[in-house]
Amino acid sequence: MNHTRITLSRIFIGLIIIAIGVGYLGNALWNWNFEIFFKGWWTLFLILPSLYTIIKWRLNLFSILLIALGILLLLHAQALLTVDFWAVFLPVLAILVGLYIIFGKALRNKYKSFDALVRNKKIPSDTSNCPQYLAVFGSSRVKNISSNFLGGETTAIFGGISLDLHSAIINQNITLEANSIFGSIEIFAPENVKVELTGFPVFGKFSDKGLRRGGEQVLRINCFTAFGGITIK
């Protein structure tokens, strides 16, 4: 029997929603002054996706710089940064780049990132049995040709992923987690398996537009969408 896994992306989004709920509950019970659209709220679109990328995948310079930029812009919007923005950002940029050069290699996650797995032209396809794919602020395509595909996870944050499973061999009932957060995911399912689509959309949608499929094995695609879309073909 397949069991739904609580993935980091669900925990991450769930905690954000809980925090919003607690904030407004505090307004009602204890006269808090919580607001979603505070000054500089848009900087969270830089900070949160970058933080998620670092936690789940690996330490990388681009995400670190986005977090630093988002925090400084938030402080500037809140009028907590009283000096010139660029006079602070450029030295911080130099410090972070220097620290990354010194310590970055030792601190990186040992697992291959999505970029190394997919965008490297020397690796046209993936043979991983239980892969994890990630696209952040970009779009990529990947073809899995595993001889014993066991499921996995694909996540798009402000980006898009096209996952081709036509050549993947599925020997048992499996579950594939698909998480779209302000992004889009397109999955081409094998023709010799049954597809079961489950999930929970938050201002998003998921749908199966594929042809009728047959077979003994079941590919269960567990979808989570937050302002995004997932399409099965």
Side-chain angles (χ1 to χ4, degrees):
M1 178 181 296
N2 289 324
H3 298 278
T4 301
R5 294 181 300 167
I6 302 178
T7 61
L8 179 59
S9 55
R10 294 170 182 268
I11 295 174
F12 199 76
I13 294 298
L15 289 176
I16 294 174
I17 295 174
I18 290 172
I20 294 173
V22 170
Y24 278 107
L25 182 62
N27 288 350
L29 298 179
W30 303 292
N31 296 319
W32 290 1
N33 190 26
F34 175 81
E35 292 291 341
I36 295 180
F37 298 106
F38 53 87
K39 291 183 179 179
W41 63 270
W42 52 270
T43 60
L44 296 180
F45 290 107
L46 296 175
I47 298 171
L48 294 180
S50 302
L51 181 61
Y52 173 87
T53 303
I54 291 176
I55 293 173
K56 182 165 181 64
W57 296 89
R58 66 172 185 173
L59 186 71
N60 63 86
L61 182 59
F62 181 70
S63 296
I64 294 174
L65 294 179
L66 282 181
I67 291 175
L69 176 62
I71 292 175
L72 290 176
L73 288 173
L74 177 59
L75 294 175
H76 182 72
Q78 292 285 329
L80 297 175
L81 188 65
T82 57
V83 299
D84 180 68
F85 174 82
W86 293 108
V88 175
F89 177 71
L90 293 179
V92 170
L93 175 64
I95 292 171
L96 291 176
V97 171
L99 289 174
Y100 185 83
I101 292 174
I102 297 172
F103 301 108
K105 185 176 181 180
L107 295 177
R108 289 190 196 107
N109 193 301
K110 64 181 179 179
Y111 299 106
K112 291 182 179 180
S113 68
F114 181 79
D115 287 340
L117 180 64
V118 179
R119 295 183 182 179
N120 190 337
K121 294 182 179 180
K122 296 180 180 180
I123 308 177
S125 57
D126 178 28
T127 59
S128 301
N129 294 336
C130 192
Q132 291 184 323
Y133 303 119
L134 173 68
V136 180
F137 295 108
S139 61
S140 295
R141 303 183 65 180
V142 59
K143 181 177 182 179
N144 188 287
I145 57 172
S146 170
S147 59
N148 185 27
F149 189 71
L150 300 175
E153 182 178 2
T154 177
T155 301
I157 305 176
F158 292 95
I161 295 178
S162 178
L163 175 59
D164 185 355
L165 297 177
H166 281 160
S167 300
I169 299 176
I170 298 175
N171 299 312
Q172 58 184 300
N173 297 343
I174 62 171
T175 298
L176 175 67
E177 300 285 343
N179 308 296
S180 175
I181 305 169
F182 289 94
S184 63
I185 296 176
E186 185 180 48
I187 300 175
F188 295 89
E191 297 180 356
N192 60 343
V193 298
K194 298 178 182 178
V195 174
E196 293 183 359
L197 207 57
T198 62
F200 179 69
V202 179
F203 296 103
K205 65 178 181 178
F206 52 85
S207 61
D208 184 0
K209 297 183 178 180
L211 301 175
R212 292 184 178 274
R213 306 179 184 92
E216 297 181 358
Q217 313 304 335
V218 175
L219 170 60
R220 177 175 295 164
I221 302 177
N222 195 12
C223 303
F224 175 77
T225 62
F227 299 93
I230 299 173
T231 303
I232 316 302
K233 296 183 177 181

